Amino acid sequence: MASGPIRGRLPERTRLAALSEADLSKIDKTPDELFYLLPRVGVHHVDDNFRRQLTQLFRLLLRQNGDILDLCSQHDSHLPPEVQYNSVTVHGMNYLELLANPRATERFTRNFNTDPTLSNLGDASMDAVVMTVSIQYMQRPAELLREVRRVLRPGGIVILSFSNRMYFNKAVEAWRSQTSMRGLVNLVQGYLQDAGFEEVRAANRVQLPEAEAQWGSFLGGMLSRDGDPYSSVIGFRGAERAEAKAPLDLDSLEGVSWLPSAAAARFGESAAPPPAEWMAPAVANRHRFAYLPVFK
């Protein structure tokens, strides 16, 4: 891979080829197994509005009766309750948390920072792979995401969702050093491109069904004056997507706000501006960047 900037790609700093060992290091170097030893069943790591947007995106993008892989999962995969899937394989660092997940049909544990493989899963065995609020902890993201690409079927989708919340001591330096949500999105888009994914795009808002939106607005007004910023970065498996059955037309999806690529933004493509809090420097919301000790 060329080390210099490539027109139409993300800035060099967000490409793995440009990230050093220090960029992928953590402050807390103790084994991750110790950190996740105690189960956090019932603990949600992002707010209600974020989770509702995520479930709605899954409703739009995940095929009914498909095979789903949920990486770095816990007691809740945030899947729409009315949609049936053929299988839901959940991975995590604490098996008790996975046992509490009612949608799981299979479960396994693995530390991806020491073994970034999916060796227990066959080639082209999944229709979709999701990871929620955990990409910030991955020290070997491209290796893991190449494995994700391997297990996806032609046309399969990966969805990496995150906010500005994190266990600060366990997040990699490349994540901690970003100063806005746009920077985090650029980083994750770079991860997916390095792993060979195509049509990499990012959403920063998902419109909820009216009844859910009203209820979410009511809860938000009671619990918080500002919510967790929302982002999902998606990609598709390789060139075969054009040959896959009924490929998704992302631009036709109602209620999804897609961000322009970083390259497009530099070359002047117009787009609706993201929310002010989404583009605000992280330092302006530093208290929202860290979880309480028992939260992710």
Side-chain angles (χ1 to χ4, degrees):
M1 180 182 298
S3 59
I6 302 174
R7 185 178 177 88
R9 298 287 183 89
L10 295 176
E12 182 185 11
R13 180 64 179 171
T14 66
R15 307 289 294 174
L16 274 194
L19 295 180
S20 67
E21 183 177 346
D23 290 323
L24 297 172
S25 67
K26 300 181 177 184
I27 296 173
D28 182 354
K29 294 178 171 56
T30 59
D32 293 330
E33 288 83 354
L34 293 178
F35 188 79
Y36 294 102
L37 185 62
L38 295 177
R40 298 173 174 88
V41 176
V43 174
H44 286 291
H45 304 312
V46 281
D47 65 20
D48 184 75
N49 189 56
F50 182 106
R51 300 196 308 273
R52 287 173 182 270
Q53 290 185 80
L54 182 63
T55 297
Q56 179 64 10
L57 189 72
F58 288 167
R59 188 176 284 117
L60 295 170
L61 293 179
L62 303 185
R63 298 181 187 278
Q64 185 175 355
N65 299 319
D67 294 299
I68 311 299
L69 172 61
D70 182 8
L71 298 179
C72 303
S73 185
Q74 50 157 194
H75 67 281
D76 186 358
S77 290
H78 311 291
L79 298 170
E82 78 282 3
V83 180
Q84 297 300 311
Y85 302 100
N86 182 56
S87 68
V88 179
T89 301
V90 298
H91 153 272
M93 289 290 288
N94 187 295
Y95 202 77
L96 289 177
E97 290 184 9
L98 303 183
L99 286 174
N101 189 322
R103 301 301 297 268
T105 57
E106 296 182 54
R107 303 167 175 86
F108 71 100
T109 59
R110 183 166 301 144
N111 183 347
F112 288 143
N113 289 329
T114 57
D115 180 11
T117 69
L118 298 170
S119 55
N120 54 315
L121 301 176
D123 294 354
S125 57
M126 295 289 164
D127 295 297
V129 179
V130 302
M131 177 189 283
T132 303
V133 294
S134 292
I135 189 63
Q136 60 265 39
Y137 308 118
M138 299 298 106
Q139 293 179 283
R140 301 165 71 178
E143 292 175 73
L144 174 60
L145 290 170
R146 289 185 193 110
E147 277 286 272
V148 167
R149 187 180 181 279
R150 176 185 65 80
V151 304
L152 279 172
R153 296 184 175 118
I157 188 173
V158 58
I159 305 174
L160 307 177
S161 303
F162 50 91
S163 187
N164 59 2
R165 296 270 190 161
M166 63 177 133
Y167 288 124
F168 194 82
N169 286 359
K170 281 296 184 180
V172 298
E173 169 61 23
W175 193 274
R176 300 193 310 270
S177 65
Q178 298 299 324
T179 58
S180 70
M181 288 296 292
R182 174 81 254 191
L184 298 180
V185 164
N186 289 352
L187 185 67
V188 176
Q189 286 179 315
Y191 287 172
L192 287 180
Q193 289 179 342
D194 277 320
F197 285 93
E198 297 188 354
E199 300 185 54
V200 175
R201 302 184 69 171
N204 72 325
R205 186 185 295 143
V206 182
Q207 184 176 349
L208 300 176
E210 185 175 354
E212 281 197 46
Q214 291 176 351
W215 178 242
S217 176
F218 171 72
L219 285 179
M222 289 183 62
L223 301 177
S224 175
R225 298 183 63 182
D226 56 346
D228 293 330
Y230 174 87
S231 291
S232 286
V233 177
I234 72 168
F236 293 90
R237 177 184 164 176
E240 304 98 328
R241 172 159 150 70
E243 303 168 6
K245 181 171 63 176
L248 289 166
D249 180 3
L250 297 179
D251 291 321
S252 70
L253 295 178
E254 293 187 7
V256 180
S257 170
W258 299 107
L259 290 168
S261 68
R266 287 199 308 274
F267 295 119
E269 288 187 11
S270 60
E277 71 275 10
W278 197 86
M279 289 296 291
V283 70
N285 254 342
R286 178 60 68 179
H287 67 288
R288 302 199 64 77
F289 242 84
Y291 295 117
L292 295 174
V294 295
F295 291 88
K296 191 189 241 175

